[in-house]
Amino acid sequence: MDDALPAPDPAEREHRSPGERHVPVLLDRCVDLLAPALQPRPDGTAPVVVDTTLGMGGHSEALLERLPAARLVAIDRDPQALAIAGARLERFGERATLVRAVYDELPDVLADLRVREVHGVLMDLGVSSLQLDEVDRGFSYARDAPLDMRMDPTSGLTAADVLNTYDARDLSRVLHVYGEEKFARRIADNVVRERAREPFSGTLRLVDLVRDSIPAPARRTGGNPAKRTFQALRIEVNRELDALRGAVPAALDALAVGGRLVVMSYQSLEDRIVKQTLAVATTSTAPPGLPFEPPEHAPRFQLLTRGAERADEAELAANPRSAPVRLRAAERVRPGRVPAPGGRA
């Protein structure tokens, strides 16, 4: 989720259970969309649902509670999330398997588990509530913290590394492409100038620099002016869009006939990738002009949503972080691999 709300007091947060700390977005809608594919199977085997973004385990817990025939494979790159969700899901025993991985590694995860096909896939994209609320992770611009932003805090470049090592051109590209920031070059030039005086290490210094780099009229709308810069750095640090481009086709390919995919995006760059991939999967591959559609060219998937669904007023009142969500879903109707947008099957 990309709207970074003020982080709760750390002492208060430590005394909350995972269920109190995290309100899953569109929980009932996600379960309802996946439920038809996760009923008891005629051959007695358990239908498999994959939560590719486990987080604190709220969606996974609901799927296991409400769909007792289902077996869960849950993926997350964040070891802290896996520990918290693992404790939350422990009561389900062997029905829940947790794996540390990035979601574009789904084919390898399923191969290691000897799972040939799955019947449901859930993708809840963006930064998790856990990562936003843990101040020292550096995802929120509301409090001072180290400029980290890694979803896996044990490896890879930090946001500080990006700010302190990228040249102005590359930094401007990151801010413009991943943050859709109109003043990307101005911010990048100011970062390069200021880091020569002292390297960047904390979030609030960056927040102040971004605010000072954006003209006053442009700061009056759209919330905190640092929002787009923080989004861009997080996407760059975690290679989120590259992973998503591989993850959505992989999830579609893993689904059995009748299996369903549900994806929740929180900003336009994510949603565009999801929309384009589903458009390919739900479009006939027959050459234009044929008087009929040969069966082998029929779409492999059908959409379950009209466009992108948004949170209603009740959802927004219960969970303000659902405001930017865009939900899309599809169901496999015939076998076959799905080409990536612009590619071939």
Side-chain angles (χ1 to χ4, degrees), residues 214-286:
I214 296 177
R219 298 199 303 262
R220 296 190 183 119
T221 59
N224 193 308
K227 173 182 175 180
R228 293 179 295 275
T229 293
F230 272 62
Q231 173 182 301
L233 290 171
R234 194 202 78 223
I235 290 173
E236 174 71 5
V237 165
N238 297 289
R239 66 173 196 90
E240 290 178 44
L241 298 186
D242 290 339
L244 184 60
R245 291 187 186 96
V248 180
L252 292 172
D253 285 337
L255 286 169
V257 173
R260 294 183 167 202
L261 169 70
V262 176
V263 186
M264 289 183 287
S265 308
Y266 296 87
Q267 40 95 347
S268 60
L269 299 175
E270 295 171 337
D271 185 57
R272 190 175 304 135
I273 292 171
V274 177
K275 179 181 178 180
Q276 291 172 347
T277 307
L278 292 182
V280 171
T282 56
T283 299
S284 171
T285 59

Side-chain angles (χ1 to χ4, degrees), residues 174-209:
V174 168
L175 300 181
H176 175 69
V177 174
Y178 295 157
E180 300 178 294
E181 173 58 72
K182 295 179 181 178
F183 302 99
R185 189 58 195 241
R186 184 182 299 189
I187 295 170
D189 287 341
N190 288 343
V191 166
V192 170
R193 185 189 70 246
E194 287 299 307
R195 78 189 187 196
R197 182 173 62 85
E198 180 183 356
F200 281 86
S201 60
T203 56
L204 290 190
R205 183 182 173 207
L206 177 61
V207 169
D208 290 341
L209 180 143

Side-chain angles (χ1 to χ4, degrees), residues 58 131 216:
Q131 292 157 347

Side-chain angles (χ1 to χ4, degrees), residues 22 50-60 72-78 81-82 85 99 101-104 121-128 131 151 244 247 262-264 266 270:
H22 173 225
V50 181
D51 185 344
T52 67
T53 47
L54 175 62
M56 296 179 74
H59 287 101
S60 286
L72 171 75
V73 175
I75 297 172
D76 206 293
R77 71 173 82 181
D78 187 337
L82 287 168
V99 181
V102 184
Y103 48 43
D104 63 344
V121 178
L122 176 65
M123 307 179 78
D124 186 11
L125 306 177
V127 62
S128 72
Q131 292 157 347
M151 292 179 176
L244 184 60
V262 176
V263 186
M264 289 183 287
Y266 296 87
E270 295 171 337

Side-chain angles (χ1 to χ4, degrees), residues 137-138 145-150 152-168 170-171 173-174 191-192 195 198-203 205-206 232-234 236-238:
R137 302 290 292 272
L147 276 163
D148 194 316
M149 300 193 194
R150 292 173 297 174
D152 178 353
T154 66
S155 64
L157 291 175
T158 66
D161 294 329
V162 173
L163 287 169
N164 292 323
T165 63
Y166 282 29
D167 62 27
D170 284 342
L171 188 55
R173 172 189 57 79
V174 168
V191 166
V192 170
R195 78 189 187 196
E198 180 183 356
F200 281 86
S201 60
T203 56
R205 183 182 173 207
L206 177 61
L233 290 171
R234 194 202 78 223
E236 174 71 5
V237 165
N238 297 289

Side-chain angles (χ1 to χ4, degrees), residues 21-32:
R21 293 167 63 182
H22 173 225
V23 181
V25 173
L26 297 179
L27 179 63
D28 291 338
R29 182 59 174 151
C30 289
V31 175
D32 289 345

